[in-house]
Amino acid sequence: MDLPIYMDGHATTRVDPRVVEAMVPFFSQHYGNAASRQHRFGWVARDAVADARAAVASLIGAKASEVIFTSGATESNNLAVRGVVDASRARGNHIVTVQTEHRAILDPCASLERQGMQVSYLPVREDGILTPAALGAAIEPTTVLVTVMMANNETGVLHPIDALAALTRARGISFHTDAAQAAGWVPIDVETSGIDLLSLTAHKCHGPKGVGGLFVRHGVAVTPLIEGGGHESGLRSGTLNLPAIVGFGRAASICLNEMAGESVRVGRLRDRLLSQLQNSLQGVTVNGSMKARLPQNLNVSIDGVNGEQLLMGLGGVAVSSGAACTSNTRKPSHVLQALGLSDKQARASVRFGLGRFNSEAEVDQVAEMFQGLVEQLRAPAPVFEQEHSENDLPPEWQ
Ligand SMILES: *Cc1c(COP(=O)(O)O)cnc(C)c1O
């Protein structure tokens, strides 16, 4: 079996070759500026952007005119949170969010708190889910925005978004969801779900990095973060990143066409990985609900091992022990802590993110490598008798 094996799809995914193929002509052949109205180069670019916008909109059941392109979900989240709060200052100063959100929500919320906003960070149940009852109890007359991610980037847990959105909008409050991990993997329909704003990114669903989108329902007021020319309905100025947008559109249409089959195939691979790990090893616990979960995610704690040590030992297999953007802090995951895990259990966790290019053979090999390594890490350290001097130790122990 060929190494390396990539199973870190919640950090990023491989760009589908069909996406690359669609992008290539937009570098050196159709390189116009989509805002140039006076010549053919501009029109070709404008039409390509329109096609991509329509494709991204269909992936989430939106109208094309309700989708704007951004640099990714971090920007989309910032625009949604800061933009709605700024546009609603007259109505209130309270935001409701969840403890398990991505830093691209938590950090802007913390920054708004320093500017005088009030933010409620709601706890989740042990299975990682925020219930509508818990949300209902947190809403105040001053609440202007509720933001709850569709799928968690560490556990893959899916919140009951339809119910949460219905409850929020019934009180006249805007509902935003970060769908960076969910889009392209589970069906989304902003109309039937009653979502007001939704963040997207291309690189979690086999598209290119550095491009994403924000769905803004018609009539929802948002103040732009970036001004200068009025592109994207005035919500995001700056020359459009044409090749990336074309790639995002292609990635979205592939996902839409193939999602039904792919989510079943990848879900089976995930289930196979879990059962192999649990059959070969004691003390493997799933973190988060197995029922309301992305098909491509597995997050387990493995008793008696340190996740980071495990990952170091697994040269050639790319998995992760936390979110890519926070794993260099060496703090235990705030997501797993919110599910009630101890620091030790949180540090013993491993996140698998499967994808379009993983095979059954790869799952089998990864499970086997895990078993060997976990057994090795769990083996009791050799005990040396008292009378032995340091010189009796094998050289690597001295
Ligand atoms: C990856 C991710 C982001 C950030 O997206 P970028 O496009 O990398 O900025 C935000 N939210 C969630 C849930 C994510 O998984």
Side-chain angles (χ1 to χ4, degrees), residues 10-11 71-75 77 102 104 149 151 153 178 180-181 201 203-204 211:
H10 298 294
S71 65
T74 301
E75 184 187 332
N77 285 347
H102 192 274
M149 70 201 325
N153 51 301
D178 174 355
Q181 295 287 350
T201 190
H203 76 102
K204 306 283 174 67
V211 63

Side-chain angles (χ1 to χ4, degrees), residues 15-359:
V15 181
D16 191 301
R18 292 171 289 179
V19 170
V20 176
E21 197 188 336
M23 291 171 71
V24 166
F26 289 89
F27 286 98
S28 303
Q29 195 180 345
H30 309 306
Y31 50 84
N33 185 325
S36 294
R37 304 271 166 211
Q38 289 88 7
H39 52 70
R40 193 164 178 81
F41 290 88
W43 305 331
V44 169
R46 178 198 58 199
D47 292 349
V49 169
D51 289 348
R53 202 185 303 280
V56 171
S58 337
L59 183 65
I60 59 169
K63 299 184 190 77
S65 55
E66 294 172 314
V67 172
I68 65 154
F69 289 113
T70 66
S71 65
T74 301
E75 184 187 332
S76 298
N77 285 347
N78 271 268
L79 176 56
V81 171
R82 293 173 194 270
V84 167
V85 163
D86 190 80
S88 327
R89 283 195 194 281
R91 286 194 290 118
N93 68 340
H94 182 232
I95 304 171
V96 179
T97 188
V98 187
Q99 290 173 2
T100 52
E101 290 291 309
H102 192 274
R103 295 244 69 98
I105 291 290
L106 296 177
D107 290 353
C109 282
S111 148
L112 288 167
E113 263 184 304
R114 290 190 292 272
Q115 295 165 25
M117 293 292 296
Q118 287 182 332
V119 184
S120 300
Y121 301 92
L122 302 186
V124 291
R125 284 194 320 213
E126 219 169 59
D127 59 5
I129 290 173
L130 174 72
T131 63
L135 175 61
I139 290 178
E140 308 272 350
T142 52
T143 309
V144 291
L145 176 70
V146 171
T147 174
V148 180
M149 70 201 325
M150 192 167 283
N152 186 271
N153 51 301
E154 292 188 33
T155 60
V157 165
L158 295 157
H159 289 298
I161 290 297
D162 291 14
L164 299 173
L167 192 154
T168 304
R169 293 181 81 220
R171 291 163 168 77
I173 300 162
S174 296
F175 184 85
H176 168 253
T177 189
D178 174 355
Q181 295 287 350
W185 296 98
V186 292
I188 298 177
D189 188 331
V190 291
E191 277 313 315
T192 56
S193 298
I195 294 163
D196 293 311
L197 304 111
L198 180 145
S199 298
L200 296 163
T201 190
H203 76 102
K204 306 283 174 67
C205 54
H206 301 288
K209 294 165 191 57
V211 63
L214 182 66
F215 157 76
V216 183
R217 179 179 294 283
H218 283 314
V220 173
V222 177
T223 307
L225 299 177
I226 301 174
E227 294 174 297
H231 307 71
E232 300 297 276
S233 315
L235 284 178
R236 207 278 189 174
S237 288
T239 302
L240 295 180
N241 184 352
L242 183 61
I245 288 170
V246 167
F248 187 14
R250 185 74 181 107
S253 58
I254 294 172
C255 285
L256 189 59
N257 290 337
E258 300 181 0
M259 189 189 306
E262 261 304 279
S263 61
V264 173
R265 187 190 72 86
V266 173
R268 285 207 185 110
L269 290 183
R270 187 270 312 277
D271 293 342
R272 182 181 178 99
L273 179 59
L274 175 61
S275 63
Q276 292 194 355
L277 291 175
Q278 287 189 319
N279 289 341
S280 63
L281 292 164
Q282 300 285 314
V284 175
T285 329
V286 176
N287 296 316
S289 169
M290 257 328 258
K291 280 190 227 111
R293 191 183 199 101
L294 290 174
Q296 75 271 33
N297 175 280
L298 184 63
N299 187 312
V300 289
S301 286
I302 303 178
D303 287 355
V305 303
N306 174 293
E308 249 177 74
Q309 240 182 332
L310 189 59
L311 302 193
M312 290 311 202
L314 275 178
V317 181
V319 289
S320 120
S321 62
C325 16
T326 47
S327 55
N328 59 354
T329 62
R330 290 175 181 268
K331 282 194 207 130
S333 147
H334 72 282
V335 173
L336 298 180
Q337 285 178 321
L339 269 60
L341 270 70
S342 67
D343 282 9
K344 198 166 175 224
Q345 290 168 317
R347 285 184 204 279
S349 74
V350 179
R351 174 185 74 173
F352 299 88
L354 297 165
R356 190 176 290 159
F357 301 101
N358 287 125
S359 65

